[in-house]
Amino acid sequence: MEKKQERMTRQKKVILEELNKVKNHPTASEVYDMVRSKLPRISLGTVYRNLEHLSAKGLIQKLDMRKGQRRFDATTQEHTHILCLNCGKVEDIALQPDQDILTMKSKVKDQSGYELIGYEIELHGICPECRSETEKQKENQACKKGR
Amino acid sequence: MEKKQERMTRQKKVILEELNKVKNHPTASEVYDMVRSKLPRISLGTVYRNLEHLSAKGLIQKLDMRKGQRRFDATTQEHTHILCLNCGKVEDIALQPDQDILTMKSKVKDQSGYELIGYEIELHGICPECRSETEKQKENQACKKGR
DNA sequence: GTATTTGCAAATACTTTGCAAAACC
DNA sequence: GGTTTTGCAAAGTATTTGCAAATAC
């Protein structure tokens, strides 16, 4: 009655297998599509539930730990934030770009009083494939000029 | 007819002002609440639209550049990703934690062919306030024991 | 056998959008 | 005055949840 015991169902197993096959980071509905070839009757809700369970057990990783909504900020310089996994609060963290991650982590711990659990670094850019596309578009626009 | 010209409306101005007043990173609906004290008839849709416009012009920052859905990943080790701002694709990036940000950026550029635009570092943890709460909860749970 | 998990569908949360009226320059 | 922007409401996505039937152990 105390602790409920997790069961390894067929659904959970297949989700994990499929996720292990791919090298990218599918969304829940992409996982749904992948899994349906094996289990045609699985529901999207089950996929969501199991992704949640698996990541709670540490068997998979959930990118974007952020809870809920997108956040906005009047300062456009700062790109380093600390997120409280309990209350969802987001605060700024000062970081010198010539500082390494380990140094940063220990500094933050000392200064902010946060208990640090992990981090996520997300680089933003344009992938090679899109770059060539974008260049094509620019050429097109240059031709049409002013729409 | 060619390029539409942005207008600085009262709504836009107030949103920017309110956002400048606070030190944290409010969500769209928190901004909505803040702004409504000044402009009681503003709509949430307008807030969304203007936050979008302001961030397109670089006047504010939109945290969480990720488009669309949450993503999942079978590898639980890797926490450094590169996101294509055009197609939304997310890939892994190798990073040694003893490497600084600048080094990382230039390495990535060379190796991946991405055009790098920016980055976002998100540290995950439990804030001081929540830590004390959590400790209280743990004590409570210890007393009640087994729910 | 019994507690957990499923599929389904409905509910919720967040964000975007169509449109006529209002505001901006 | 003509175009952009607004408020409103409805629609669109993404995710979560209630429940009876099915499944795992």
Side-chain angles (χ1 to χ4, degrees):
Chain A
M1 213 158 294
E2 335 295 78
K3 45 176 58 180
K4 64 162 143 182
Q5 131 120 25
E6 284 254 322
R7 287 175 186 177
M8 180 49 72
T9 62
R10 211 140 65 88
Q11 288 81 345
K12 221 172 277 184
K13 206 173 302 179
V14 172
I15 287 173
L16 195 49
E17 280 169 17
E18 293 298 309
L19 212 39
N20 268 310
K21 279 189 196 160
V22 296
K23 57 277 138 250
N24 65 341
H25 313 287
T27 62
S29 81
E30 285 166 357
V31 172
Y32 178 51
D33 290 339
M34 287 154 55
V35 165
R36 259 195 306 182
S37 59
K38 294 283 176 58
L39 302 171
R41 300 190 50 76
I42 197 172
S43 73
L44 183 54
T46 299
V47 171
Y48 270 104
R49 271 183 295 228
N50 281 334
L51 287 172
E52 213 51 57
H53 290 163
L54 289 169
S55 94
K57 291 188 100 178
L59 292 173
I60 65 172
Q61 185 186 172
K62 177 165 54 172
L63 309 190
D64 170 28
M65 306 284 281
R66 167 203 65 113
K67 322 181 170 181
Q69 313 104 297
R70 195 166 293 172
R71 293 179 172 275
F72 296 86
D73 185 347
T75 70
T76 53
Q77 304 315 103
E78 181 62 68
H79 294 274
T80 312
H81 303 104
I82 186 160
L83 162 70
C84 176
L85 294 177
N86 185 243
C87 64
K89 173 171 57 187
V90 180
E91 299 182 87
D92 283 329
I93 279 294
L95 165 74
Q96 277 67 50
D98 60 350
Q99 218 171 54
D100 66 74
I101 309 298
L102 291 177
T103 309
M104 176 175 67
K105 283 183 75 174
S106 69
K107 249 183 110 168
V108 165
K109 193 163 193 166
D110 293 345
Q111 287 174 9
S112 67
Y114 268 70
E115 178 191 338
L116 279 180
I117 292 172
Y119 62 86
E120 189 158 322
I121 296 184
E122 196 177 278
L123 299 170
H124 299 151
I126 309 291
C127 68
E129 293 74 33
C130 285
R131 284 175 70 181
S132 30
E133 257 182 49
T134 310
E135 263 126 50
K136 277 180 221 147
Q137 282 172 17
K138 274 182 193 157
E139 282 161 30
N140 279 344
Q141 281 172 10
C143 295
K144 293 182 194 163
K145 205 160 178 194
R147 140 171 285 277
Chain B
M1 212 158 295
E2 336 294 77
K3 46 175 58 180
K4 65 163 143 183
Q5 129 121 24
E6 284 254 323
R7 288 175 187 177
M8 179 50 71
T9 61
R10 212 140 67 85
Q11 288 81 347
K12 222 173 271 183
K13 206 173 301 177
V14 173
I15 287 173
L16 195 49
E17 280 169 16
E18 294 299 309
L19 212 38
N20 268 308
K21 279 190 196 161
V22 296
K23 57 280 137 243
N24 65 342
H25 312 286
T27 62
S29 81
E30 284 165 358
V31 173
Y32 178 53
D33 290 339
M34 287 153 55
V35 165
R36 259 195 305 181
S37 58
K38 296 280 177 57
L39 302 171
R41 301 190 49 76
I42 198 172
S43 74
L44 183 55
T46 298
V47 171
Y48 271 105
R49 271 184 294 227
N50 281 334
L51 287 172
E52 212 51 56
H53 290 164
L54 290 169
S55 92
K57 291 188 98 180
L59 291 173
I60 65 171
Q61 185 186 172
K62 177 165 55 172
L63 309 189
D64 172 28
M65 307 286 279
R66 166 203 63 112
K67 323 182 172 184
Q69 312 104 295
R70 195 165 292 169
R71 293 179 172 277
F72 296 85
D73 185 346
T75 70
T76 54
Q77 304 314 105
E78 180 62 67
H79 293 274
T80 312
H81 302 105
I82 187 160
L83 161 70
C84 177
L85 295 178
N86 186 244
C87 64
K89 171 171 59 186
V90 179
E91 299 183 87
D92 283 328
I93 280 292
L95 164 74
Q96 277 67 50
D98 59 352
Q99 218 170 56
D100 66 74
I101 309 297
L102 290 178
T103 308
M104 176 176 65
K105 282 183 76 175
S106 69
K107 249 183 110 168
V108 164
K109 193 163 193 167
D110 292 345
Q111 287 174 10
S112 67
Y114 267 71
E115 177 191 340
L116 278 181
I117 292 174
Y119 61 87
E120 189 158 324
I121 297 184
E122 196 177 280
L123 299 170
H124 300 151
I126 309 292
C127 69
E129 294 73 33
C130 285
R131 284 174 72 182
S132 29
E133 257 182 47
T134 310
E135 262 126 49
K136 278 180 219 146
Q137 282 173 16
K138 273 182 193 156
E139 282 163 28
N140 279 344
Q141 281 172 10
C143 294
K144 291 183 194 160
K145 204 158 176 197
R147 149 170 282 279

